[in-house]
Amino acid sequence: MTALSSVDKYPGGEPSGPPPVRGSGGEGAEPPGSAALAPRSFLARNPSVFWFLAILIGFTALVTVLSPALGAEVISTSFIKTLGKTLCLCLVALAMDVVWGYTGILSLGHMAFFALGGYMIGQWLMYARTEEIVLTSLAGTPIPPTAAEVAQGVATQIFGVVGSSEMPAIWSFAHSLPAQLALVVLVPGLLAFLFGWLAFRSRVTGVYLSILTQAMTLALSLYLFQNDSGLRGNNGLSGLQNLPGAAQIGQDRLSLWFFWASAAALALTYLLLAWALSGKFGSVLRAIRDDEARVRFLGYPVEAYKIFVFTGTAVLCGLAGALYYPQAGIINPAELAPIASIYLAVWVAIGGRGRLYGAVLGAVFVSLLSSWFTGGRAPSIPLGFYTVNWVDWWQVLLGLAFVLVTLFAPKGLGGLVDMAQKIRTPDRKGAPLGPDDGALQEREAQE
Amino acid sequence: MSALLEVSGVSVTFDGFRAINNLSFTIGPAEMRAVIGPNGAGKTTFMDIVTGKTKPDTGKVLWGEKSVSLLSLSEAQIARAGIGRKFQRPTVFEDQSVAENLVLALKSPRGPLAALRFALSGPGRDRVLDLAREVGLSDHLARKAGELSHGQKQWLEIAMLLAQEPRLLLVDEPAAGMTGVEREHTTAMLVEMARTRAVVVVEHDMDFVRRLNCKVTVLHEGSVLAEGSLDHVTSDPTVIDVYLGRG
Amino acid sequence: MRLTLLSLCAALCLCLALAPARAESLAQIAAAHAAAIEKPSRTTIGPVIDALAASGDPMAAPFLQAWGSKGLGRRKSDGAFFLLAPDPAGYALTDLTGAPAGTSATSEITELKPNAGVRGLIASALVAFTLSDPDPARRAAALESIAADPKAESLDPLRAAVETEPDPVLKARKLRLERLLTLRFDPDSAARVAAIEGFGADAGLDLRAALSPLVATKRAAGPIPPEGANVARTLTPGGDISEAEAYAVLVDAGLAPARLRPEDQKTALAAHIAEGKVGGVPVADLSSQAARDRAYTALEQAGTVPTAATDDEVTAALAANPVYEIYAEPDPAVTAAATRALHEIGLKVGAMQAVDLGLDALSLASIYFLAAIGLAITFGVMGVINMAHGEFITMGAYTGYVVQLWVPDLTLSILIALPLAFALTFGAGVAIERLVIRHLYKRPLETLLATFGISIALQQIFKNIFGTQARPLTAPAWLDGAWVVNDVIGISYIRIAIFVLALLFLGFFLWLMKRTRLGLEVRAVTQNPAMAASMGINPDRINMLTFGIGSGIAGIAGVAIGLFAKVTSELGSDYIVQSFMTVVVGGVGNIWGTLAGATMIGTLQKLIEFLNPSNTLAAQTYMILFIILFIQVRPRGIIALKGRAAGD
């Protein structure tokens, strides 16, 4: 029992050894098993990062070369926008994967944060663009306009559609790009923090939390549907594809710029998340997902982690929305209907949750497939008595595919990668597989 | 004598059922204590109260030299204050490697930002390796915890507890499902641990308790029935009545 | 009591029957007063009208009618009076007994054209006539026309017609109308106050309509209140009234010059641009209000533009001329009484509105309860979350629609649709349980996802079959209309039916769980599946049946909800979040909790809608926010299971 002395090797406090070593470490006369602990390079720990970046850079270069901005007319401007938007959706899927796949919180509200980000940037885009128009129209008058007259003109232009000519208070910062950019982060962030603080603190978990997030999304979308919400009711914000002060730059070039920005944001986010999740932080998150009570007894403030992740991913979604909606051109409250967040969960589930590339895979696969089917390009299937028209039946197919994935392939498309690498997860003998805590049935089954 | 943990006058009721009834319990800083009692005596509820899982209706739970009340603290705060708990069923994070499980438990700042900045230091690595060697899991550090056998999971959990460096250990039926050799190993470890910290062992198995050779508290219907050496309590007629009377 | 009433009626009838015997005929009166009729004046016409009124001749009313509308003429040859009607030959004549009397050329007839004052008197005499018309329907019609357009002239004839009224119902109406007219038009202030106070705590719409013009106010301004004005209050600018509004009152009253509007200022400035400058200020600098004011002041001083009020002048004018609110009604005693009465009526109407709100809330609660009870079974009892629950509701509603396509009788079709909807959704529920949910019992979050998938697919299938537009599911005629207590409190029969249905379901649920073998087995399986299985209960069968019953109830609820809501493929998803909230807020696993949750959410939503009536969307938003906060306070719901059984 000589080894037992090690129990008291570090009495209390933190080990105050040499500075942390990460990325370098000596080999040699290591004790057995130390290989598992040997510091490895970031890329070695995250083999997917290399492949992901390589594919993304290659893809971006390819699209750039083929884009109309460079004279090649192989792919259209609108398709570049579709690709750029898909990259933004991948970004949201990454956020969803962190919050659901890693932490086990099935949030049905992250698309709401996404749309809020879009609304925040949309306010500036719409304000600045309308201000240009108003200034142009007032330039012909003999007396130069005052600031108040311009503001009045802008308000009439923007809110005439909801029968108002007053600028609501929430547009106070719409004239300033830095302020609205700050709001892109702050509004989803604060909302998520507040909601998370309320929900996690009172230990709402599992399906209850999912329903609560769905209720939050519903409340937000119903609120925005009203005309006096100050965000133009169900008209939403439009004309967002026109960048103020960039009228002479064609949409072909703008779309490419936004595509690059989306790709860069996705790459950075992927790197950031891969770094955060490969370390102890990721380990804690997965532990919370699998058994949060146990994590609590290890001394981790589970609620703080959940709020941190929920808020952080909400901010990511807000940023993604701020990149997405200038490419989409229009945003309205339907964008944050609860069903949108459900689709987000569908993407991540089909791609394979609990792994970052799975989320990206799912978002790309499902959203491109969806636009192929709903775009009317998929061939109809004549059955003689009935013709299956994919525009009508795609949703049915998606729904059923989702059921099948949940039943038979919980690892989604990512499972294919595992099969290729011959990785098998431990057999849990019927024990819950991952983020399933907090349900009555399971609890009672244990007792 | 200054007590490490002092539970006094604690009662808790579930739907009219008094699980704990005016329970008082004290343990010193380096002491081994066995808690025995028939099913439904309130052993698990007692541990739930100390670790913050259940809030009692009345009573005080004081901790440490400064006599901090544990009732206003969350489970995580209590764990950080130095109370570790081992569950009856081994609860390790099956989807993560043995090494990751140990690193998770290793004493270090617990906040999210600290976890983001965390990097395994040299002494930390040594500590993980030592613990793994101690419980015989050195060769399994890279394996997923879910692939371990039941006994190995028990050992992993004990190693995780040690990594936490608690001042008070609450151990729920540690010997359940262990072979004779493993039991001996466990007994030795518990005794060794109790030299520098308080250890409370909840156990059914009288043989195991006898081997621990420590003071015994008998719980019955939510309160302390008897306290003293094992021989003392087993000769107590009320204890005999409770155990034998119930068959 | 009844006997006295009867004898009273009999006596009245007798009097009426005797009355005509004493009077002269119309022809006699016309002959007697021929001169007065031909050249009527306000002073001389009184006796004629009185005589006509007293005659009781059935032709008296048409005679007056013709007279008042310039349709009465006198034949030049013999001086006889005739009622005239246009005819190709000139006039078609009707004599005073009502018989046709041939035609006549225009030149042979002197048309009688009484002046406006006389016509007014004739009109009120006519009112008196119709008010005492032998036909009760015409008397009622006359009362209605007076009530619709109350006039001072109607008061006297109405008073005269009260006593002779034989019908007790009509008499009561006449009395009420008389008092309503009295409180507005009686010249005697005391009589009006007495009439107002005589209504006591009556809260009728007609009374409120009669009282409110009495307290109507208009604004006036001046150093002192206008002579003899009944001042309601003096308004403080900036407090009761904005300064701009107060000043506008002053401007309207000619007490102060109008303020310069920015648009006018801009126009004036633009009109006086000279060499790139206005009043010495360069045009390019005019992009601020201060610069524009400077330029305008310069123009004012040069005398090129009219002077406009400055801020100081505005303040001084407002200080010198307080703004008053003045009652249109000059009598202070009357306005005071009317204000008091309106206040009391306000209180009473408020109380009745609260009752009505309570009924509305109850009916909304029943709807939520209906929508949620199926969930209370699948989610509450089994702990299985079913996101396709909303689609089961939709399925029930569409079943009702399809049945109505085949069975035209509405009552019969609903009676067929209810069990059919149950059967269909029961089948669908069992199928989903067997195919999907059974494999996911230990993975609730994945049940949620899989049932989401089913929900997405089902919704699209509904769209493919039934299209996107709303399909009619018509309620039988006996459910049309509403139970109306008074003009504030009322509730439609459909809502009552839904309330009854909700009660039936509650009873059914309690019976099923507490009194049947199935309920016993369900409770056993939920509490301890392993133990239940060892006692010979087949948990598979129980789960299947429970899920089927929960789904089947959703189907029945769908038929009920479809009767008043639009039947579209999204019908169910509109209710799904509220249903889950109902179950969660109430407390999972307890039917009384679901009831409490539905009551709370229904009441709350109606209350918020009442406080903010323009906006039902906002009401839903605030309700959900409230629920999120409520779950903070009571995470386990209103009726919580406590202790270890509740888990953590």
Side-chain angles (χ1 to χ4, degrees):
Chain A
M1 282 299 131
T2 47
L4 273 178
S5 58
S6 69
V7 169
D8 303 312
K9 212 177 252 174
Y10 308 109
E14 279 173 71
S16 53
V21 279
R22 195 169 197 171
S24 73
E27 302 291 316
E30 291 284 331
S34 64
L37 288 167
R40 290 178 297 157
S41 72
F42 174 65
L43 280 183
R45 275 179 290 135
N46 298 281
S48 80
V49 170
F50 171 77
W51 289 109
F52 178 79
L53 289 183
I55 292 171
L56 184 62
I57 290 169
F59 175 68
T60 311
L62 186 69
V63 169
T64 307
V65 169
L66 298 180
S67 73
L70 293 188
E73 295 289 337
V74 182
I75 44 182
S76 64
T77 300
S78 75
F79 191 61
I80 291 189
K81 284 187 177 179
T82 305
L83 292 176
K85 286 191 289 183
T86 308
L87 292 181
C88 294
L89 295 179
C90 292
L91 195 51
V92 187
L94 280 181
M96 181 69 180
D97 196 19
V98 173
V99 83
W100 177 36
Y102 281 85
T103 322
I105 304 165
L106 176 51
S107 162
L108 298 178
H110 268 58
M111 268 321 221
F113 301 129
F114 176 77
L116 278 181
Y119 262 108
M120 290 304 119
I121 200 69
Q123 280 188 315
W124 175 74
L125 284 169
M126 197 160 180
Y127 186 96
R129 170 91 182 132
T130 314
E131 192 178 45
E132 278 184 4
I133 294 168
V134 168
L135 281 177
T136 316
S137 74
L138 286 178
T141 55
I143 308 277
T146 62
E149 278 169 348
V150 174
Q152 188 56 49
V154 173
T156 316
Q157 279 274 328
I158 296 182
F159 293 102
V161 67
V162 288
S164 163
S165 60
E166 301 232 345
M167 192 67 83
I170 50 169
W171 286 71
S172 306
F173 304 106
H175 58 276
S176 151
L177 177 60
Q180 287 300 134
L181 282 180
L183 288 179
V184 164
V185 171
L186 285 177
V187 169
L190 280 178
L191 181 66
F193 177 80
L194 203 68
F195 180 87
W197 188 75
L198 288 173
F200 299 132
R201 206 183 43 113
S202 56
R203 302 259 171 106
V204 180
T205 54
V207 289
Y208 295 87
L209 188 80
S210 302
I211 293 166
L212 216 55
T213 52
Q214 192 183 21
M216 176 199 76
T217 313
L218 182 68
L220 202 62
S221 93
L222 288 177
Y223 182 77
L224 288 176
F225 263 118
Q226 314 169 92
N227 277 345
D228 51 4
S229 65
L231 289 167
R232 307 211 323 159
N234 60 358
N235 305 289
L237 309 181
S238 53
L240 309 183
Q241 73 278 19
N242 303 310
L243 219 53
Q248 72 285 359
I249 305 173
Q251 282 292 324
D252 53 343
R253 280 164 69 197
L254 276 182
S255 64
L256 195 59
W257 290 357
F258 270 106
F259 176 77
W260 287 340
S262 307
L266 182 61
L268 279 176
T269 309
Y270 197 94
L271 274 172
L272 179 81
L273 292 179
W275 169 78
L277 293 168
S278 67
K280 185 177 165 187
F281 185 74
S283 182
V284 177
L285 293 193
R286 281 176 292 144
I288 289 175
R289 174 190 73 191
D290 292 339
D291 190 345
E292 71 170 67
R294 182 76 181 93
V295 179
R296 236 175 243 130
F297 286 122
L298 281 176
Y300 288 95
V302 170
E303 283 65 45
Y305 277 86
K306 285 186 173 178
I307 294 172
F308 185 86
V309 167
F310 196 73
T311 310
T313 51
V315 168
L316 265 184
C317 288
L319 289 170
L323 275 172
Y324 178 95
Y325 285 103
Q327 303 182 65
I330 183 163
I331 180 170
N332 60 50
E335 301 280 315
L336 49 86
I339 191 75
S341 294
I342 293 169
Y343 282 131
L344 179 59
V346 173
W347 299 339
V348 176
I350 287 182
R353 59 205 136 111
R355 58 183 93 208
L356 291 177
Y357 62 88
V360 175
L361 218 56
V364 170
F365 181 72
V366 182
S367 68
L368 289 186
L369 206 62
S370 161
S371 60
W372 186 65
F373 272 121
T374 54
R377 265 170 286 179
S380 299
I381 303 174
L383 295 176
F385 58 97
Y386 184 81
T387 304
V388 175
N389 193 349
W390 284 114
V391 176
D392 291 335
W393 286 92
W394 153 243
Q395 296 261 41
V396 180
L397 183 71
L398 180 67
L400 294 180
F402 189 41
V403 176
L404 293 178
V405 164
T406 316
L407 276 179
F408 302 113
K411 291 200 277 181
L413 294 174
L416 296 175
V417 179
D418 283 0
M419 269 160 76
Q421 296 185 342
K422 300 201 166 53
I423 293 175
R424 278 178 53 245
T425 40
D427 181 12
R428 291 161 176 242
K429 301 181 182 70
L433 186 101
D436 258 343
D437 209 28
L440 210 65
Q441 178 96 11
E442 182 200 346
R443 277 287 146 71
E444 284 167 355
Q446 283 175 12
E447 275 169 24
Chain B
M1 174 187 131
S2 76
L4 181 66
L5 175 75
E6 190 183 340
V7 176
S8 54
V10 166
S11 296
V12 67
T13 309
F14 297 131
D15 281 334
F17 165 66
R18 283 214 144 196
I20 296 284
N21 187 12
N22 197 20
L23 176 80
S24 293
F25 179 90
T26 308
I27 189 165
E31 188 190 345
M32 164 89 79
R33 178 75 61 88
V35 175
I36 60 172
N39 275 334
K43 297 175 304 228
T44 304
T45 310
F46 163 69
M47 303 223 316
D48 285 348
I49 288 172
V50 173
T51 50
K53 194 179 174 203
T54 301
K55 296 285 172 207
D57 303 332
T58 54
K60 284 192 293 189
V61 181
L62 300 177
W63 166 255
E65 291 74 23
K66 291 182 191 146
S67 291
V68 186
S69 170
L70 292 183
L71 298 184
S72 54
L73 300 185
S74 69
E75 292 106 305
Q77 283 170 318
I78 292 175
R80 286 202 295 275
I83 297 180
R85 177 171 184 181
K86 192 205 156 298
F87 291 87
Q88 191 177 331
R89 229 168 49 123
T91 44
V92 294
F93 302 108
E94 313 213 335
D95 215 25
Q96 307 195 30
S97 71
V98 171
E100 279 172 314
N101 268 288
L102 287 172
V103 170
L104 263 185
L106 209 57
K107 186 164 177 136
S108 63
R110 294 305 205 204
L113 292 174
L116 272 176
R117 283 196 303 267
F118 178 86
L120 193 61
S121 64
R125 278 180 65 204
D126 294 345
R127 179 103 175 91
V128 169
L129 291 174
D130 282 349
L131 285 165
R133 192 169 50 237
E134 206 169 299
V135 295
L137 289 174
S138 292
D139 295 335
H140 305 289
L141 274 174
R143 286 180 69 194
K144 289 217 167 170
E147 298 169 5
L148 301 179
S149 72
H150 184 82
Q152 282 173 318
K153 285 181 191 166
Q154 291 273 34
W155 285 117
L156 175 57
E157 203 182 0
I158 289 173
M160 286 168 74
L161 264 185
L162 292 176
Q164 262 181 281
E165 293 170 22
R167 297 184 62 199
L168 168 66
L169 257 175
L170 300 169
V171 190
D172 201 349
E173 305 202 12
M178 281 190 171
T179 61
V181 181
E182 282 174 330
R183 277 175 183 232
E184 264 175 46
H185 191 176
T186 312
T187 318
M189 270 182 93
L190 288 173
V191 170
E192 175 66 31
M193 279 189 266
R195 286 201 191 140
T196 49
R197 69 200 74 217
V199 178
V200 176
V201 181
V202 169
E203 189 53 81
H204 268 308
D205 188 336
M206 285 298 175
D207 278 347
F208 189 81
V209 173
R210 187 171 301 280
R211 242 180 279 170
L212 290 175
N213 190 22
C214 63
K215 193 169 162 188
V216 174
T217 300
V218 184
L219 287 190
H220 176 57
E221 290 181 353
S223 45
V224 176
L225 188 68
E227 211 164 55
S229 73
L230 187 61
D231 292 329
H232 170 75
V233 297
T234 44
S235 57
D236 187 323
T238 51
V239 174
I240 293 169
D241 192 38
V242 164
Y243 266 85
L244 298 182
R246 285 179 168 233
Chain C
M1 181 68 198
R2 187 171 298 167
L3 208 65
T4 21
L5 261 180
L6 271 177
S7 52
L8 202 71
C9 281
L12 268 172
C13 294
L14 208 62
C15 286
L16 271 173
L18 289 174
R22 286 177 298 166
E24 306 162 273
S25 77
L26 174 61
Q28 287 168 316
I29 299 167
H33 299 279
I37 292 173
E38 188 168 5
K39 296 254 181 296
S41 80
R42 296 191 66 158
T43 45
T44 56
I45 196 165
V48 186
I49 290 177
D50 289 345
L52 284 172
S55 74
D57 190 308
M59 274 307 286
F63 178 81
L64 279 172
Q65 179 86 46
W67 194 13
S69 57
K70 303 178 189 172
L72 191 66
R74 196 169 186 198
R75 193 149 63 195
K76 288 176 180 167
S77 54
D78 57 0
F81 290 99
F82 293 99
L83 276 60
L84 309 177
D87 188 271
Y91 289 115
L93 307 180
T94 308
D95 72 14
L96 297 186
T97 60
T103 58
S104 172
T106 324
S107 57
E108 291 174 22
I109 300 290
T110 315
E111 297 96 344
L112 305 184
K113 289 176 180 164
N115 65 27
V118 174
R119 285 207 308 274
L121 286 175
I122 293 173
S124 50
L126 255 178
V127 170
F129 261 90
T130 40
L131 280 174
S132 335
D133 196 282
D135 181 3
R138 293 180 67 178
R139 295 202 298 277
L143 277 176
E144 263 156 34
S145 78
I146 297 175
D149 179 24
K151 281 199 286 275
E153 295 85 61
S154 313
L155 183 53
D156 284 333
L158 182 60
R159 275 185 184 155
V162 169
E163 277 311 311
T164 55
E165 176 60 51
D167 182 346
V169 177
L170 275 178
K171 183 160 188 173
R173 283 179 62 187
K174 280 184 177 173
L175 270 172
R176 184 178 175 86
L177 191 56
E178 186 266 326
R179 275 152 66 211
L180 288 174
L181 290 181
T182 305
L183 69 87
R184 284 184 70 178
F185 301 116
D186 197 285
D188 177 22
S189 163
R192 297 175 66 184
V193 173
I196 293 172
E197 283 166 355
F199 276 102
D202 195 311
L205 270 179
D206 51 353
L207 177 60
R208 277 178 276 163
L211 286 174
S212 37
L214 295 185
V215 294
T217 58
K218 61 184 190 327
R219 283 172 183 163
I224 50 160
E227 193 72 27
N230 181 3
V231 176
R233 58 179 182 152
T234 308
L235 299 168
T236 329
D240 308 319
I241 181 174
S242 77
E243 283 190 8
E245 273 182 281
Y247 194 73
V249 175
L250 261 59
V251 171
D252 287 346
L255 293 167
R259 244 173 165 171
L260 183 65
R261 290 184 303 154
E263 301 93 301
D264 298 335
Q265 186 189 42
K266 196 173 171 185
T267 318
L269 290 178
H272 292 90
I273 299 177
E275 295 162 9
K277 287 185 177 186
V278 184
V281 181
V283 170
D285 291 356
L286 289 175
S287 60
S288 78
Q289 192 57 47
R292 286 187 184 179
D293 288 346
R294 223 166 41 243
Y296 194 86
T297 315
L299 290 180
E300 271 179 352
Q301 282 160 358
T304 43
V305 290
T307 44
T310 62
D311 287 348
D312 292 343
E313 284 162 4
V314 169
T315 316
L318 283 175
N321 300 292
V323 180
Y324 309 98
E325 245 177 28
I326 293 170
Y327 288 119
E329 169 60 49
D331 190 334
V334 172
T335 51
T339 314
R340 255 194 328 272
L342 275 176
H343 176 69
E344 273 166 32
I345 290 172
L347 288 181
K348 190 166 177 196
V349 169
M352 290 197 300
Q353 273 172 340
V355 173
D356 189 56
L357 197 68
L359 282 180
D360 278 358
L362 205 62
S363 101
L364 191 65
S366 323
I367 292 166
Y368 284 153
F369 183 72
L370 266 187
I373 188 165
L375 267 188
I377 295 174
T378 53
F379 182 43
V381 176
M382 297 171 71
V384 168
I385 193 140
N386 177 20
M387 281 288 164
H389 178 80
E391 276 56 52
F392 288 151
I393 293 179
T394 316
M395 205 185 279
Y398 275 129
T399 308
Y401 161 70
V402 172
V403 170
Q404 286 196 343
L405 289 182
W406 296 97
V407 183
D409 184 280
L410 293 178
T411 310
L412 187 66
S413 71
I414 296 294
L415 288 180
I416 295 174
L418 285 174
L420 191 63
F422 182 86
L424 271 177
T425 45
F426 181 91
V430 167
I432 288 174
E433 203 274 342
R434 286 288 90 184
L435 290 173
V436 179
I437 292 168
R438 183 165 61 112
H439 305 289
L440 299 171
Y441 272 126
K442 286 192 170 172
R443 292 143 59 181
L445 268 189
E446 300 188 14
T447 316
L448 187 146
L449 290 177
T451 48
F452 259 145
I454 295 169
S455 154
I456 292 171
L458 277 180
Q459 227 180 80
Q460 186 61 41
I461 290 176
F462 292 147
K463 266 197 199 113
N464 292 351
I465 298 176
F466 296 102
T468 42
Q469 74 273 46
R471 296 290 174 178
L473 175 54
T474 321
W478 50 270
L479 278 179
D480 283 344
W483 178 53
V484 178
V485 178
N486 59 29
D487 50 26
V488 181
I489 304 173
I491 183 165
S492 69
Y493 288 131
I494 286 194
R495 302 206 152 214
I496 296 176
I498 282 171
F499 178 69
V500 172
L501 198 61
L503 282 184
L504 282 177
F505 273 6
L506 176 64
F508 170 74
F509 182 91
L510 289 174
W511 170 79
L512 185 76
M513 293 303 283
K514 301 259 153 87
R515 290 270 181 278
T516 62
R517 176 81 196 163
L518 179 67
L520 184 74
E521 292 184 355
V522 166
R523 280 181 292 151
V525 169
T526 32
Q527 276 160 23
N528 194 334
M531 183 70 90
S534 70
M535 294 180 71
I537 299 171
N538 180 358
D540 269 7
R541 187 183 136 262
I542 295 299
N543 281 335
M544 187 178 80
L545 281 180
T546 316
F547 199 83
I549 289 172
S551 310
I553 289 182
I556 296 186
V559 179
I561 290 172
L563 288 178
F564 66 90
K566 272 192 229 148
V567 182
T568 67
S569 59
E570 270 136 37
L571 169 76
S573 53
D574 291 346
Y575 283 92
I576 187 78
V577 173
Q578 273 91 341
S579 303
F580 273 112
M581 289 290 139
T582 302
V583 176
V584 171
V585 160
V588 174
N590 187 319
I591 191 70
W592 299 109
T594 308
L595 188 65
T599 312
M600 193 183 91
I601 292 181
T603 312
L604 199 73
Q605 186 166 342
K606 279 292 160 195
L607 202 66
I608 300 173
E609 270 175 27
F610 174 74
L611 297 176
N612 186 3
S614 62
N615 217 326
T616 50
L617 286 181
Q620 293 211 22
T621 310
Y622 295 133
M623 186 199 58
I624 295 171
L625 284 183
F626 175 84
I627 290 170
I628 292 176
L629 290 175
F630 179 83
I631 290 186
Q632 307 304 307
V633 187
R634 291 196 71 108
R636 296 199 195 292
I638 300 172
I639 299 181
L641 299 173
K642 275 202 279 183
R644 286 171 114 177
D648 241 342

